[in-house]
Amino acid sequence: MIGTSIAEYIFIRGCILFLHNIAPASLLYCVLLLGPLPTALSGYRLPPYLEAWLVAEAAFFTIFFLPYKYHLQRPAIHPELLSREERAKLFKRCNATVKDPEKYLSQWFLGAKEEQIKRENVKEFIRWAFLNAGQAESEDEGEVEGYVNAMEKLLGRDIPSGKGSAKSLRLTVDKVDCLHRSLLWYFCVCVVDTVTYWSMLYNGFHFHRTSLARFFTLFPFRPLTLLTTYRSPVEHLTYWHRPHSSKTRLPVLFIHGIGVGLYPYTNFLRDLNKAGEVGGSDAGVGIIALEIMPVSSRITHPALEKDVMVREVQAIVKHHGWSRFVLVSHSYGSIISTHLLKSPVTAPFIGPMVLVDPVSFLLHLPDVAYNFTARQPVRANEHQLWYFGSKDIGVAHSLARRFFWSQNIVWKEDLGVEGENGEEGRNVTVVLSGRDLIVDTEAVRRYLTASFSEGLTSNGKAACVTNKNGKEMITKIGKEDNGAWTSGRWSGSGLEVLWFEHLDHAQVFDFEKTRMPVVQAVELYSAKDGIVQALADS
């Protein structure tokens, strides 16, 4: 993620202006070619190769994009509805973590004012959020009315009757709002993919492709992937694999976020790879880095349904003989991590976890949905997220038709961490950035450390949260720190938070000094839990 300087703003706005206007310029030129060119322009024909490119761009827009955008508008297939008791429990659980009810309601209604949000508006939103419904159904009216009454208690005021002018954000009901991507953009993606391919090969990873029959189901095409002799054991997921040979350490499964695939993570995976090479007969910590193509600036199949994704990940892990692994994910990858964690099929495979910039905590709050899909961009980083992230064809469809918040949300209790009474559990580190433009990381930090007592140093550079037994829960790394553990507070036990005060979403991977604490956390988890697993296996 870029910064917020004036220079970066000019750069990103210039890139967007150029890329977004390729299609209109191509269409205009083709219209002039098809009709009689004005005399003044007839002597100024572009070179043949530029004409061919513009014709291709115009054809791509009219023949592919316009019909495809219409095709993407098909209604979402919602998951099976929770029981009434489960819905009531979920609603109560969500309300318990709302600290600013007025802001909560307003943001779900796209910043509408209090007088614009009336009772029928709230009912409409609740039907979508908890009943997977876009329209009123008489048999659920009593339940919906009860939720509205509970909302009034939360707000401390009555919600006026009738229907106001406010419009709520309902991701899976609203239209798929995407923008055209030019062939030039997909050529750039292809170049980035090529760089990623050779970088991963150089760092000891092997690419596992799907069947040759699926080669043309992904655009831009990936001819280099045809060179590999390794096959993925599943239909959809491709991945990079580093063999695991260690007897005393756990392998690592990595799941990336929205963007251009694994390219932003190549340095992190390289560092992780080096950390796993300690020499001797026990060298070689295995790594699997999944490729989630529907959110990687590609045109491909829709995002996999939850159960399909879980089955394919399980098949990949079993194919390589893993019985337990460290799960590392970033941003959107935390959604897939949540599905793996909640599934009885894959949960036993998951050892320690490192969740970087997770979006799955407090997902009932409007911040993630609003900031990613509805916010009007102002700063440079917001424009980058808006154009290259949320308006991408695959990303927009994934969020509007395959993103069901009640499935994707994760609660502290789901993590299975060590209890306050000392019972053993899963070790989890959550990495948060203080300037995250997508997630309300302050709210997430408060939620994760709510049962602990917090102490902050006066200079704002270090923070420590402890439980009743004095165990430190949070390490805060400021801008001037060298990337090492602040005061050695991170211990690798239970639930802990790494806080990067001056970083934005995904920037933790950009600098070696901020990557290394995350790499060290994964390395320690791999070694610590690997020994325990080795003893259990023996």
Side-chain angles (χ1 to χ4, degrees), residues 151-435:
M151 182 64 70
E152 288 180 321
K153 290 182 180 179
L154 184 67
L155 293 167
R157 62 173 176 84
D158 292 337
I159 299 175
S161 59
K163 187 168 186 178
S165 59
K167 184 181 184 299
S168 62
L169 178 59
R170 300 181 298 165
L171 289 181
T172 55
V173 175
D174 297 337
K175 72 171 185 176
V176 180
D177 189 9
C178 58
L179 294 176
H180 172 66
R181 293 289 184 268
S182 66
L183 290 174
L184 178 63
W185 166 248
Y186 287 118
F187 173 75
C188 294
V189 171
C190 188
V191 171
V192 169
D193 189 53
T194 302
V195 172
T196 304
Y197 187 90
W198 291 116
S199 175
M200 295 294 284
L201 281 181
Y202 179 78
N203 286 296
F205 291 86
H206 305 297
F207 181 73
H208 289 246
R209 61 169 175 84
T210 53
S211 67
L212 293 177
R214 293 192 60 82
F215 178 81
F216 293 102
T217 64
L218 178 70
F219 184 81
F221 304 127
R222 310 176 77 190
L224 283 175
T225 62
L226 299 177
L227 301 177
T228 185
T229 58
Y230 298 92
R231 281 285 306 276
S232 172
V234 297
E235 181 181 358
H236 301 96
L237 289 179
T238 54
Y239 61 95
W240 289 89
H241 171 246
R242 180 190 191 275
H244 182 69
S245 59
S246 176
K247 303 293 185 183
T248 61
R249 291 178 292 168
L250 294 182
V252 178
L253 176 68
F254 177 73
I255 310 174
H256 66 77
I258 289 172
V260 287
L262 289 172
Y263 175 73
Y265 311 96
T266 51
N267 289 334
F268 172 72
L269 292 170
R270 178 203 62 203
D271 296 341
L272 205 59
N273 195 13
K274 289 181 178 179
E277 296 176 346
V278 296
S281 59
D282 196 45
V285 171
I287 301 172
I288 291 176
L290 300 179
E291 291 187 323
I292 315 300
M293 284 302 169
V295 295
S296 299
S297 300
R298 268 72 167 198
I299 300 172
T300 186
H301 60 81
L304 299 182
E305 296 177 354
K306 174 177 68 72
D307 293 339
V308 177
M309 176 64 76
V310 167
R311 286 198 301 269
E312 293 210 353
V313 173
Q314 181 204 23
I316 290 171
V317 169
K318 292 184 70 174
H319 176 73
H320 292 283
W322 293 8
S323 59
R324 191 171 171 83
F325 55 81
V326 180
L327 178 57
V328 184
S329 64
H330 176 246
S331 191
Y332 180 87
S334 67
I335 300 299
I336 300 173
S337 296
T338 297
H339 298 163
L340 299 176
L341 190 63
K342 290 182 177 181
S343 170
V345 174
T346 49
F349 289 86
I350 302 175
M353 298 173 63
V354 177
L355 305 175
V356 185
D357 299 331
V359 297
S360 50
F361 290 107
L362 303 184
L363 199 51
H364 62 288
L365 298 181
D367 300 273
V368 171
Y370 179 84
N371 291 337
F372 206 95
T373 66
R375 177 178 55 195
Q376 292 301 309
V378 176
R379 300 178 300 173
N381 56 348
E382 294 171 355
H383 279 283
Q384 181 189 18
L385 177 69
W386 172 79
Y387 186 80
F388 295 100
S390 60
K391 298 304 179 184
D392 175 78
I393 295 174
V395 173
H397 184 265
S398 297
L399 297 182
R401 295 296 180 264
R402 295 298 180 96
F403 191 91
F404 306 108
W405 77 270
S406 59
Q407 278 189 343
N408 299 342
I409 193 170
V410 65
W411 303 94
K412 279 192 298 186
E413 294 77 10
D414 297 326
L415 299 176
V417 298
E418 178 185 51
E420 289 192 38
N421 295 324
E423 63 268 21
E424 291 187 6
R426 182 179 288 112
N427 297 318
V428 179
T429 291
V430 179
V431 182
L432 300 174
S433 299
R435 296 181 178 177

Side-chain angles (χ1 to χ4, degrees), residues 455-469:
L456 296 176
T457 63
S458 59
N459 62 12
K461 286 180 58 180
C464 178
V465 176
T466 61
N467 65 9
K468 294 178 180 178
N469 300 320

Side-chain angles (χ1 to χ4, degrees), residues 11 55 100 116 143 156 162 165 177 218 351 460:
F11 170 75
V55 169
D100 188 343
Q116 297 174 314
E143 181 183 0
S165 59
D177 189 9
L218 178 70

Side-chain angles (χ1 to χ4, degrees), residues 428-476:
V428 179
T429 291
V430 179
V431 182
L432 300 174
S433 299
R435 296 181 178 177
D436 196 306
L437 82 164
I438 299 174
V439 183
D440 184 352
T441 49
E442 285 285 355
V444 173
R445 182 184 66 82
R446 287 194 302 269
Y447 168 71
L448 293 176
T449 60
S451 59
F452 308 107
S453 59
E454 180 180 358
L456 296 176
T457 63
S458 59
N459 62 12
K461 286 180 58 180
C464 178
V465 176
T466 61
N467 65 9
K468 294 178 180 178
N469 300 320
K471 179 182 175 299
E472 295 168 336
M473 301 299 297
I474 184 168
T475 297
K476 184 175 181 180

